[in-house]
Each structure stands twice: as structure tokens, then as C-alpha cells.
Amino acid sequence: QTLEAFKPDLIHIATPDGLGIGALKWAKKHGVPVVSSYHTHFLSYVDYYKLFLGPVKWPFKKMMQWFYPQCERTYVPTQSMIDELAREQIHGHMKIWARGIDTDSFNPKKRDMPWRRSVGIADDELVVSFVSRLVWEKELRTYIDSVSALKKKFPKLRAMVVGDGPAKKEAQKLLPNGIFTGFCAGEDLSRAYASSDIFLFPSFTETFGNVTLEAMASGLPCLVANAIGSRSLVVDGKNGFLAHPGNVPEFISKLQEMVADTKLRAQMAEESRSMAMSYQWSAINQALIQDYYHVLDEYAQKHKLKNG
């Protein structure tokens, strides 16, 4: 009833769940073009929890193979994600819609030395941050193991975990000297990023990696998993390093290189900020709106030809 009252020209479905499938059926019935976006790599979550979710992978994949080709567009954040979907035999009219960043909000100028001191960070300490919902599938343990191993060699290294979630209590036990800020948003989040020195994010379930882009805009060198989302943002050796997912010794080795080389960190930090500037929301969303108009024109032309 709400859709019929609103009379949309186009429907953008975010997720192929019950609501999304219902919207697709309504659109088909009423002759309204549909686009979708793929912003969570659902199949990687199924693989991570394969002991419990393994049996649902095949039917879920089949549903995705049925759903996305029916959309006029499927907006995907990176080419690597498009390639991954093709490997899973999930097809459709795929088009890149990158994520954006507010480069004023996430900015190296937000660095706050008094705040660092207030949470117990000495001026000469090096802060390695992790920003995410605190769940184990974000590879939180790889972060903990990597920082813990290097702290023995570099006592001035500090771990700062930004976020909340069910893994927080156990993570605090594993990182007794770590700083846990809890959930942060707005200025608090911007300050936490900019007050760090290195961003370490080993997760490999992201389709894009918004937190990595936020860290880059905040002027941080980034050490991330060589996985679908992150490798579209971090160029190995330029604005950070890539390490194989779950390979703790490799993460430790790359992190040590960053910690030990002040000049390298400064160069990578500068590159991160520079690269983030090309992801400003205004340009990205204007391109999306423009493509909506292309979809409407194509859909009208297609149905004109179909109806003779």
C-alpha cells in the first residue's frame, strides 16, 4: 500500500531477503524497474560459520543466482567483488558504485594529543587501532595476536580497539593493556582514528571496507587483509601493506616493518590521505543518480520494443 501510494519510478533493493524479494515481485507486477546493491559478502559469512551455516550455502547461493539477474543493475563496490561474484556464478548487469567518505569529518587534523593522554597513551607511544563491531569473524584475534607479539619487541606499542560487540569481554582479557573505547560515532570516531598511528584491519568479509577508507582519510597507514574489499583501497607498499587472510606471521612481519620505520609510516600516511580524497560522496552519489536515469531510459526503451 505504501509503494502504491508513493508510485516510485524506480526501486533500489538493498538486500535479497524476504522484504527485497517482495519488492521485486511488486515491481514486476507494476512495471517498475528494479536495481539492487551488493554491499555485504553474504557467502563469506556462511564460509566463516560453515559448521553451523554450511548446509544453507547452496540454497542461498541459488537464490542469489535467481535474484540478481532480474535487476536492471546490481551496484557492487569494487571490481574485485564483481570478479568474486562471477566465480560464484552470480551474474547480472554489475556496475561499480564505490563507497564514499566525508574527508572533512575524517581528517588528520582531528588528532588530539590531550585526548590520547586522557585515555592513558603517552606522547611517545605508537597506537595501532582496530575499528569494527567486535565479533570474531572480523579477524579480531589476528589483530590481537599480531599486536601482542610485537609489543614484546616494541614496548611503546599500544593497542586501541574502537567498537563494541559480543567479543569485547574476551578481547579485553586477551589484551589486558589495550585501550577499549567502546562504540564511537561522529567526532569521537574521527578523533579516535586521527589519534592513532597505524590502522590494522585483518577482516576478509568486507565487500569494500568503509573503516579502511575512514582510516585512510584520517591519514593512517593501513595494514589489511589481501581480500576483496580491502585490496581495492590499499596498494601494497604505497599507503600500507596487504597480508594474506588469517596469516598471523605475515601480519606480524608487515606490522613490524611499519612500526620500525618512521619515514615509511609518514609516506604511507600521506598517500592514504591523498588516495582517500578521490572517494568524496558528492561525486560518487551524483554518478549513481545519473545511472538511475540511464536505467529508466533503458527500461522504457526495452518495454517499448517489447510491446511493439
Side-chain angles (χ1 to χ4, degrees):
Q1 288 175 340
T2 302
L3 284 170
E4 287 170 7
F6 184 68
K7 296 180 180 176
D9 297 297
L10 177 144
I11 292 178
H12 186 147
I13 299 173
T15 308
D17 55 9
L19 184 63
I21 291 169
L24 176 65
K25 290 179 178 178
W26 185 93
K28 284 190 159 198
K29 180 181 177 182
H30 292 83
V32 177
V34 168
V35 298
S36 62
S37 47
Y38 190 85
H39 48 80
T40 300
H41 192 22
F42 304 107
L43 295 178
S44 67
Y45 278 92
V46 172
D47 286 338
Y48 195 93
Y49 291 108
K50 57 189 173 185
L51 184 64
F52 307 103
L53 298 178
V56 307
K57 182 172 182 177
W58 186 85
F60 189 64
K61 184 174 168 180
K62 283 293 180 185
M63 185 274 291
M64 292 167 69
Q65 290 170 339
W66 165 83
F67 179 86
Y68 289 110
Q70 297 186 71
C71 301
E72 303 300 316
R73 295 280 196 280
T74 297
Y75 297 109
V76 183
T78 63
Q79 182 59 48
S80 58
M81 190 68 253
I82 292 175
D83 296 340
E84 175 68 14
L85 289 172
R87 279 191 290 273
E88 295 284 0
Q89 297 183 309
I90 297 168
H91 303 293
H93 188 150
M94 304 285 175
K95 188 175 179 67
I96 292 176
W97 172 34
R99 300 285 80 86
I101 187 74
D102 181 341
T103 53
D104 291 327
S105 293
F106 295 98
N107 194 308
K109 293 178 181 178
K110 303 284 185 176
R111 190 174 179 87
D112 188 335
M113 295 305 288
W115 178 80
R116 279 172 52 111
R117 294 177 198 125
S118 74
V119 295
I121 303 168
D123 289 1
D124 62 345
E125 288 184 319
L126 196 71
V127 176
V128 180
S129 62
F130 175 96
V131 181
S132 177
R133 181 166 181 264
L134 303 188
V135 288
W136 296 114
E137 62 264 30
K138 296 293 185 181
E139 285 293 297
L140 178 56
R141 195 174 295 278
T142 296
Y143 167 82
I144 291 170
D145 291 346
S146 301
V147 176
S148 298
L150 276 189
K151 190 161 176 61
K152 296 170 185 175
K153 189 171 184 179
F154 299 94
K156 293 290 185 181
L157 200 66
R158 294 295 301 275
M160 181 165 72
V161 178
V162 180
D164 206 348
K168 183 179 178 181
K169 285 186 179 180
E170 190 176 348
Q172 285 175 313
K173 290 177 184 176
L174 295 170
L175 269 178
N177 295 317
I179 297 155
F180 287 78
T181 68
F183 176 78
C184 287
E187 286 295 309
D188 291 338
L189 181 59
S190 300
R191 180 179 60 192
Y193 274 118
S195 299
S196 306
D197 299 290
I198 296 171
F199 181 66
L200 172 51
F201 192 60
S203 174
F204 53 86
T205 58
E206 271 53 43
T207 59
F208 184 73
N210 287 346
V211 291
T212 301
L213 185 55
E214 290 166 355
M216 287 167 55
S218 303
L220 299 183
C222 301
L223 172 54
V224 299
N226 188 0
I228 293 162
S230 299
R231 67 169 169 254
S232 67
L233 294 168
V234 175
V235 178
D236 195 50
K238 188 175 180 182
N239 66 319
F241 286 126
L242 300 172
H244 288 91
N247 190 328
V248 176
E250 188 179 359
F251 273 99
I252 292 170
S253 175
K254 297 282 179 78
L255 181 59
Q256 178 169 326
E257 192 173 344
M258 297 170 88
V259 170
D261 194 333
T262 304
K263 186 178 178 182
L264 177 67
R265 284 201 313 276
Q267 290 171 345
M268 287 180 165
E270 191 174 330
E271 285 289 349
S272 274
R273 175 66 181 174
S274 176
M275 290 166 69
M277 295 302 288
S278 64
Y279 287 91
Q280 296 187 65
W281 270 123
S282 55
I284 287 168
N285 281 341
Q286 184 57 46
L288 176 69
I289 292 168
Q290 195 62 45
D291 197 62
Y292 282 163
Y293 283 111
H294 289 319
V295 169
L296 291 170
D297 289 342
E298 291 167 12
Y299 188 84
Q301 187 65 24
K302 185 166 63 177
H303 283 265
K304 183 179 178 183
L305 293 170
K306 186 178 177 181
N307 296 327

